[in-house]
């Protein structure tokens, strides 16, 4: 929905990248955005490769994009470094994050801005719709296991993600806040970022029509990839539950997560004839097992630690 804003406003769109050819399509989708009257847009591309491998790709596409593009080289292979570089180079009223393998819908930014204006929230999340190839398992496509949506707890959103979000840079909960470098190779840096922002009084809203799409490559369309991701997500949640907990509450949390894991694994076994439900419960059980791991202080697995060797 395109509509004029109450005053001229500046937005930086942050794109962290690492050897991805899909960056071209991401930038071209941003070039086609409908921009509210009076809004000024700038794109910040943060190249997380050891060498500035994306520089030529960005320079080649500048003429097709009607916005200024700031290229930043921020080595190496640690997504928190790239995200922080985007925050450090942002100078607008808002900064929006989108991944380098996603494409934005025409009204993506407008919908985020309208929701920010309507709610006054510090962060606005949008949905990420997974696009599956025909080769992906039928149960995976039917169950839509890769799309990203916010989670509500007691009527509010308490954490978020960076694959589709708008941040109000002047919000007290966000001023000076940065992503944890220690989590830049495991994942979970965005969960921690938004959880701490929420604990500091920040509000998170949701713009359901601010859609971006993300193709699911074959290497991610597997049970093994989903299981590893869910386990790491559980580890991050467990580690955060561990923060500031007394010993007694710590053991109660372990018992609760262990019980939930056992229940989910049992439900998965009972629902073996239904692939979608079986995998949904099984993956949820793996996530709760990850929570137990995190509560025991086990370091998160490095889900993205092999990026340097991955062909792009």
């Amino acid at each position: 929905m395109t509509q004029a804003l109450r005053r001229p406003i500046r937005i930086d769109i942050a794109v962290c990248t690492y050897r991805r050819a899909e960056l071209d399509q991401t930038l071209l989708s941003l070039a086609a955005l409908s921009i509210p009257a009076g809004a000024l847009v700038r794109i910040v591309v943060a190249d997380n490769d050891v060498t500035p491998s994306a520089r030529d790709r960005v320079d080649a596409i500048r003429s097709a994009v009607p916005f200024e593009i700031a290229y930043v080289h921020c080595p190496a292979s640690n997504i928190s470094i790239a995200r922080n570089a985007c925050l450090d180079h942002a100078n607008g009223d808002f900064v929006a994050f989108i991944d380098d393998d996603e494409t934005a819908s025409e009204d993506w930014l407008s919908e985020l801005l309208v929701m920010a204006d309507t709610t006054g929230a510090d962060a606005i999340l949008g949905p990420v719709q997974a696009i599956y190839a025909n080769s992906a398992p039928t149960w995976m496509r039917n169950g839509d296991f890769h799309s990203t949506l916010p989670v509500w707890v007691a009527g509010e959103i308490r954490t978020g993600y960076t694959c589709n979000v708008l941040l109000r840079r002047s919000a007290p909960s966000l001023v000076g806040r940065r992503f944890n470098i220690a989590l830049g190779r495991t994942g979970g840096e965005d969960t921690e970022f938004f959880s701490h922002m929420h604990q500091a009084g920040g509000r998170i809203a949701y713009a359901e029509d601010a859609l971006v799409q993300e193709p699911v490559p074959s290497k991610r369309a597997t049970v093994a990839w989903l299981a590893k991701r869910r386990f790491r997500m559980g580890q991050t949640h467990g580690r955060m539950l561990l923060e500031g907990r007394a010993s007694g509450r710590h053991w109660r949390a372990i018992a609760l997560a262990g019980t939930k894991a056992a229940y989910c694994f049992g439900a998965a076994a009972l629902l073996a004839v239904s692939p979608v439900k079986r995998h949904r419960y099984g993956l949820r059980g793996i996530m709760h097992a990850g929570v137990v791991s995190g509560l025991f202080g086990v370091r998160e697995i490095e889900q993205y630690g092999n990026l340097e060797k991955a062909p792009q």
Side-chain angles (χ1 to χ4, degrees), residues 103 128-134 136 141 144 146-147 211-217 221:
T103 55
V128 180
Q129 179 186 18
I131 304 298
Y132 291 99
N134 291 333
R141 286 184 276 120
D144 194 12
H146 288 75
S147 291
L211 178 68
V212 303
Q213 294 183 324
E214 179 180 24
V216 180

Side-chain angles (χ1 to χ4, degrees), residues 53 62 97 142 186 207 283 302:
S53 59
R62 286 183 188 276
F97 279 91
N142 290 343
T186 63
L283 289 168
E302 286 196 358

Side-chain angles (χ1 to χ4, degrees), residues 218-239:
S218 58
K219 65 182 179 181
R220 294 190 179 189
T222 65
V223 175
W225 189 90
L226 285 170
K228 188 175 183 180
R229 183 174 177 84
R230 294 295 198 280
F231 187 80
R232 197 278 306 154
M233 290 170 63
Q235 284 184 305
T236 299
H237 184 62
R239 178 179 53 78

Side-chain angles (χ1 to χ4, degrees), residues 23-308:
L23 175 64
D24 289 4
Q25 294 304 313
T26 300
L27 294 177
L28 289 174
S29 75
L30 299 180
L33 289 174
S34 60
I35 304 299
L40 300 175
V41 172
R42 184 179 71 135
I43 299 172
V44 179
V45 176
D47 186 354
N48 204 207
D49 198 0
V50 176
T51 60
S53 59
R55 187 190 300 274
D56 290 344
R57 183 178 296 277
V58 170
D59 287 342
I61 208 168
R62 286 183 188 276
S63 61
V65 179
F67 313 120
E68 175 190 351
I69 302 178
Y71 172 86
V72 183
H73 183 220
C74 46
S77 306
N78 182 310
I79 191 61
S80 291
I81 293 175
R83 298 202 200 289
N84 289 341
C86 290
L87 293 176
D88 292 341
H89 283 81
N91 56 25
D93 301 286
F94 293 91
V95 57
F97 279 91
I98 184 173
D99 284 355
D100 63 345
D101 57 348
E102 295 175 343
T103 55
S105 59
E106 182 180 349
D107 293 332
W108 170 64
L109 187 60
S110 295
E111 293 291 347
L112 290 173
L113 289 168
V114 167
M115 187 59 66
D117 188 54
T118 301
T119 65
D122 300 353
I124 314 296
L125 300 172
V128 180
Q129 179 186 18
I131 304 298
Y132 291 99
N134 291 333
S135 58
T138 301
W139 62 265
M140 190 177 290
R141 286 184 276 120
N142 290 343
D144 194 12
F145 284 80
H146 288 75
S147 291
T148 303
L149 298 169
V151 175
W152 278 265
V153 178
E156 63 177 352
I157 305 171
R158 298 182 180 180
T159 190
Y161 41 80
T162 47
C163 47
N164 184 357
V165 68
L166 181 75
L167 303 177
R168 190 183 303 272
R169 291 185 62 241
S170 62
S173 65
L174 288 169
V175 172
R177 188 171 302 283
R178 293 296 183 267
F179 293 88
N180 188 344
I181 299 296
L183 300 180
R185 290 170 65 91
T186 63
E189 79 292 335
D190 48 357
T191 299
E192 181 186 83
F193 179 94
F194 287 102
S195 294
H196 288 172
M197 185 207 85
H198 179 266
Q199 292 166 12
R203 292 192 299 118
I204 305 174
Y206 176 56
E208 63 179 350
D209 293 323
L211 178 68
V212 303
Q213 294 183 324
E214 179 180 24
V216 180
S218 58
K219 65 182 179 181
R220 294 190 179 189
T222 65
V223 175
W225 189 90
L226 285 170
K228 188 175 183 180
R229 183 174 177 84
R230 294 295 198 280
F231 187 80
R232 197 278 306 154
M233 290 170 63
Q235 284 184 305
T236 299
H237 184 62
R239 178 179 53 78
M240 295 184 67
L241 286 175
L242 191 59
E243 294 177 359
R245 279 184 179 261
S247 178
R249 294 184 63 194
H250 164 229
W251 287 107
R252 285 197 293 271
I254 289 175
L256 178 60
T259 300
K260 289 181 177 179
Y263 172 83
C264 288
F265 289 138
L270 291 173
L271 295 167
V273 296
S274 174
V276 171
K277 292 181 179 178
R278 180 179 76 244
H279 284 99
R280 200 174 299 285
Y281 274 106
L283 289 168
R284 190 162 184 82
I286 289 171
M287 184 193 71
H288 288 303
V291 174
V292 173
S293 172
L295 284 166
F296 273 113
V298 178
R299 182 183 178 88
E300 282 111 317
I301 56 177
E302 286 196 358
Q303 186 165 16
Y304 306 108
N306 63 346
L307 279 177
E308 297 91 332

